[in-house]
Amino acid sequence: MIPEEVIEQVREAADLVGIIGEHVELKRTGADYRGPCPFHGGTHRNFAVIPKKGMFYCFVCHEAGDVYTFFMKKLGMDYPTAVREVARRVGITIPERTGPTGPDPREPLFAAVATAADWFARQLRESPEAEVARRYLESRRVTLEQAQIQGLGFGPRGSGFLDAMKGLALREEVLLEAGLIVKRDDGSKIPRFRGRLLFPIHDMRSRIVAFSGRILGEGEPKYLNSPETPIFHKGQLLYNLHVARHATRKAERAILVEGQFDVLRLSLAGFEEVVAPLGTGLTDDQAALLQRHTAHVVLLYDSDDAGLRATFRAGDVLLRHKLRVSVATLPEGEDPDTLVQNKGAAALEHALKDSVDVLERKIQILERKGFFGSLPGRRRALDRLLPTIRAAADPITRDLYVSRVAEVAGIRKDVLQREVDPKETVTVPYRPVPSLTVLPSNAEKSLVLLMMSGQPWLSKVTEAVDGEEFEFPVYRALFEALADDAPDRLDETAARAYESLQAEGLGNEPPDLMFERAVNWLEARRLDREITRKQQEIDLAPEADKARLTLEKRALANERNAKRPTWKVLESARRKGAPGS
Ligand SMILES: [Zn+2]
């Protein structure tokens, strides 16, 4: 087998226009080249070569692919031969085959997904049922031609898909394994994507491996992805990275957006270095993947509360992988899609150029909300900034972050340094790692119940506490999902808990009392933990430091005691048998 890096290196080095130009008379039109299609033998210039994307596409027969596919389709070569042929032309030597090379056992899955992609794309162009999808694209000012180049498709309701695939001799087991159909309880099989606009998801070799389907009209979930399959691991791929990775080098940045439509809009506006996670939060694997292609990531998410939470979560993940992270802020009420539509690509480039460091952005927001105006506010601000400082794996970034936060919160840098990295003095973890052994707390449950009652409590709770303060994993998951308004993201356990809480309801207690008590309880718990930690630090500290540390501990105890009145109420509730600890 030819190593992946070599395949990539050859593809990047290949002169696509020159190679295809040997077979087709191409003329430049803007950034692309057009000519008569060599596949269906047309005479009009319906065949496009798009060097920026490293691909070709015919608007009549819809043949599409990269430089390798061109040789395979035009000259009937197999994949390794095509790679060798292109390599020869660009002057790269490929090591000779060593040992027997069997065919990839996943080949049938790639073939099934590719066949499905072609069929979905044809539905989008031709099927009467896809009119709703075509109208939707029109409403978002995406032309059918643009949609076709991006390989968009439509998955109809009904049995058309299954019949067509069977007609093409694709077996049901393969379709199931590729995640294209699902088996119902009664044993019958239906297409996974019904009534959805489909975005193909490519792997790093530009092969389609999965789809993300957007619902058209009412229904849940809004986006449905292919399941994990032998060829698709969504935590390890980024949407559009197969295109963006070439551009990130030139642009010296990657732009991370929330969804496929944002990618589409930015691509159409001429930004190629755009990627998106696949329907979930950014994973560590995805950050590691991104880190191989760029050193700087600009986060371009919605600026509402849910968008900001997602921004900072993704920011922390990226910082853990030593990436430089900045946040672009769009004008009030605009998302990337509307901004480009209303004000053009220049307005977006302006916002990207004005992006600020992720920690600085967090500080800006806390400042705007008045967190630094009071002592308890400063303490809470610090709690929100600490995870970002701790996430910074790059030592220089981390040191700069500590200096900056010490300055803005008005504390000594060495004190903050100890708080950031208690391991330097004691080995006690600052926060217990949430695990399934943690018992659910009444306070956490109250806060989730309040959020489920809608506004104003939803905002009040997300304002007052951070997801990290939830120790019980199920409640934390509920908190995150409610805060982001994405209940469809819940796993099975959390979804069941959601239903049972929904049935339970808020009860008779006045919500404001419930809120105050729960928030105080969480703060008291946090302070308790810090007091314990401080005591351990005192036990291990050299004599000279003990007096100062004892003073610090006393200050924490005073702070906690201020929560006492409510604290006692909870203690008595706990004695009555409520699961509170
Ligand atoms: Zn053609």
Side-chain angles (χ1 to χ4, degrees):
M1 294 239 280
I2 305 170
E4 288 289 324
E5 318 84 77
V6 178
I7 295 178
E8 288 318 318
Q9 206 185 339
V10 170
R11 195 209 315 268
E12 271 178 55
D15 170 18
L16 185 67
V17 175
I19 287 174
I20 295 183
E22 291 172 12
H23 302 266
V24 183
E25 199 203 320
L26 293 170
K27 280 215 176 105
R28 185 188 255 284
T29 50
D32 306 338
Y33 293 78
R34 297 276 175 122
C37 175
F39 295 106
H40 78 274
T43 50
H44 300 289
R45 301 193 169 273
N46 292 312
F47 179 78
V49 178
I50 307 151
K52 242 180 162 180
K53 288 186 192 294
M55 67 172 283
F56 63 85
Y57 183 80
C58 171
F59 289 101
V60 177
C61 70
H62 309 291
E63 283 292 353
D66 62 10
V67 64
Y68 301 138
T69 349
F70 183 80
F71 277 110
M72 290 158 74
K73 288 180 172 169
K74 182 80 183 90
L75 304 171
M77 294 177 180
D78 64 11
Y79 191 76
T81 312
V83 176
R84 276 163 203 284
E85 174 58 20
V86 181
R88 193 184 57 75
R89 286 159 174 261
V90 299
I92 291 175
T93 316
I94 290 186
E96 272 314 303
R97 284 166 222 241
T98 49
T101 55
D104 188 336
R106 301 171 306 166
E107 214 43 69
L109 298 179
F110 287 118
V113 173
T115 308
D118 280 347
W119 190 83
F120 290 141
R122 195 166 74 235
Q123 302 310 302
L124 181 61
R125 296 190 301 268
E126 296 169 1
S127 137
E129 192 190 332
E131 184 55 29
V132 57
R134 292 189 290 266
R135 261 190 284 120
Y136 174 74
L137 287 170
E138 204 184 312
S139 77
R140 307 223 24 187
R141 288 190 245 175
V142 176
T143 68
L144 201 54
E145 188 167 292
Q146 288 166 335
Q148 286 178 59
I149 291 184
Q150 302 288 333
L152 266 51
F154 176 73
R157 297 173 194 279
S159 64
F161 175 69
L162 208 50
D163 296 341
M165 292 302 108
K166 282 181 181 164
L168 292 165
L170 286 170
R171 289 179 297 125
E172 274 190 358
E173 307 90 83
V174 175
L175 296 173
L176 264 175
E177 200 184 0
L180 293 165
I181 59 175
V182 287
K183 203 173 181 171
R184 284 197 298 202
D185 289 342
D186 63 4
S188 63
K189 304 187 181 70
I190 51 168
R192 173 174 304 272
F193 302 105
R194 302 181 299 279
R196 285 176 184 270
L197 178 67
L198 298 179
F199 293 79
I201 299 169
H202 297 79
D203 69 4
M204 296 298 280
R205 260 171 68 175
S206 301
R207 294 175 293 198
I208 300 176
V209 290
F211 299 94
S212 178
R214 191 198 193 285
I215 195 83
L216 296 160
E218 294 299 303
E220 289 290 332
K222 197 166 163 198
Y223 279 93
L224 177 72
N225 280 341
S226 296
E228 295 281 310
T229 71
I231 58 172
F232 176 53
H233 306 286
K234 74 172 166 188
Q236 297 169 12
L237 264 188
L238 281 156
Y239 185 70
N240 203 48
L241 187 60
H242 68 297
V243 171
R245 67 210 174 105
H246 306 295
T248 50
R249 230 158 293 157
K250 210 184 296 167
E252 294 181 331
R253 69 178 179 206
I255 305 168
L256 187 69
V257 294
E258 270 180 300
Q260 282 88 359
F261 232 102
D262 297 325
V263 172
L264 175 57
R265 174 61 58 200
L266 263 65
S267 299
L268 294 177
F271 296 89
E272 299 284 330
E273 70 277 26
V274 197
V275 292
L278 292 160
T280 47
L282 188 78
T283 67
D284 267 304
D285 283 333
Q286 289 174 330
L289 187 59
L290 208 46
Q291 196 262 335
R292 291 212 283 277
H293 298 282
T294 188
H296 178 205
V297 178
V298 183
L299 292 163
L300 181 63
Y301 282 27
D302 291 354
S303 302
D304 58 6
D305 283 347
L308 280 176
R309 303 177 59 79
T311 300
F312 294 130
R313 263 206 305 275
D316 287 355
V317 176
L318 294 165
L319 284 172
R320 281 205 289 276
H321 290 270
K322 302 193 175 176
L323 282 148
R324 187 157 78 78
V325 186
S326 45
V327 179
T329 305
L330 300 180
E332 189 81 25
E334 302 269 23
D335 61 34
D337 195 19
T338 57
L339 182 69
V340 174
Q341 275 189 30
N342 299 336
K343 304 202 176 106
L348 185 59
E349 182 56 49
H350 193 74
L352 291 166
K353 284 253 158 64
D354 279 352
S355 66
V356 297
D357 180 272
V358 61
L359 181 88
E360 206 52 52
R361 180 73 184 126
K362 235 179 177 176
I363 292 172
Q364 279 179 2
I365 289 167
L366 293 167
E367 260 172 352
R368 214 177 48 207
K369 289 183 176 169
F371 271 71
F372 296 104
S374 70
L375 210 58
R378 253 151 60 180
R379 177 68 242 185
R380 268 168 54 206
L382 208 53
D383 283 335
R384 303 227 169 161
L385 294 168
L386 279 169
T388 298
I389 305 179
R390 290 200 183 102
D394 175 59
I396 295 173
T397 305
R398 197 176 170 113
D399 191 59
L400 288 170
Y401 279 9
V402 170
S403 303
R404 176 69 179 120
V405 171
E407 176 198 4
V408 75
I411 48 174
R412 292 215 323 265
K413 192 180 167 187
D414 60 317
V415 173
L416 180 61
Q417 187 71 60
R418 272 203 305 279
E419 175 120 14
V420 167
D421 207 358
K423 268 172 291 176
E424 280 177 11
T425 40
V426 281
T427 50
V428 185
Y430 173 72
R431 281 179 207 278
V433 177
S435 76
L436 284 168
T437 58
V438 175
L439 287 172
S441 113
N442 244 358
E444 293 180 5
K445 180 174 151 188
S446 300
L447 292 172
V448 173
L449 281 170
L450 283 165
M451 291 171 85
M452 287 172 64
S453 75
Q455 297 299 4
W457 295 108
L458 182 60
S459 301
K460 283 192 178 174
V461 173
T462 45
E463 188 91 335
V465 298
D466 210 51
E468 294 216 359
E469 288 170 44
F470 282 72
E471 286 183 2
F472 188 56
V474 175
Y475 290 160
R476 180 192 280 211
L478 288 172
F479 174 90
E480 302 281 7
L482 287 162
D484 294 352
D485 191 24
D488 52 300
R489 219 172 49 197
L490 294 171
D491 68 15
E492 213 173 299
T493 316
R496 268 209 306 276
Y498 183 88
E499 278 168 24
S500 98
L501 288 179
Q502 209 162 29
E504 190 176 325
L506 261 185
N508 297 325
E509 198 178 357
D512 43 354
L513 189 65
M514 198 168 155
F515 173 75
E516 195 189 331
R517 185 190 294 177
V519 171
N520 274 337
W521 193 88
L522 282 190
E523 294 212 356
R525 178 172 69 182
R526 181 181 60 71
L527 289 162
D528 263 343
R529 213 152 47 213
E530 277 191 58
I531 291 166
T532 309
R533 192 176 62 85
K534 194 62 78 181
Q535 183 57 52
Q536 283 158 333
E537 204 178 328
I538 293 170
D539 293 345
L540 296 170
E543 223 33 62
D545 288 349
K546 280 199 202 285
R548 179 181 49 78
L549 290 168
T550 306
L551 275 178
E552 285 175 20
K553 184 188 149 192
R554 197 169 302 156
L556 288 169
N558 286 340
E559 211 181 313
R560 185 202 54 196
N561 291 347
K563 314 281 175 198
R564 275 289 187 214
T566 351
W567 182 243
K568 271 188 188 144
V569 175
L570 257 141
E571 288 286 285
S572 79
R574 204 188 305 179
R575 275 198 298 277
K576 277 186 240 150
S581 59

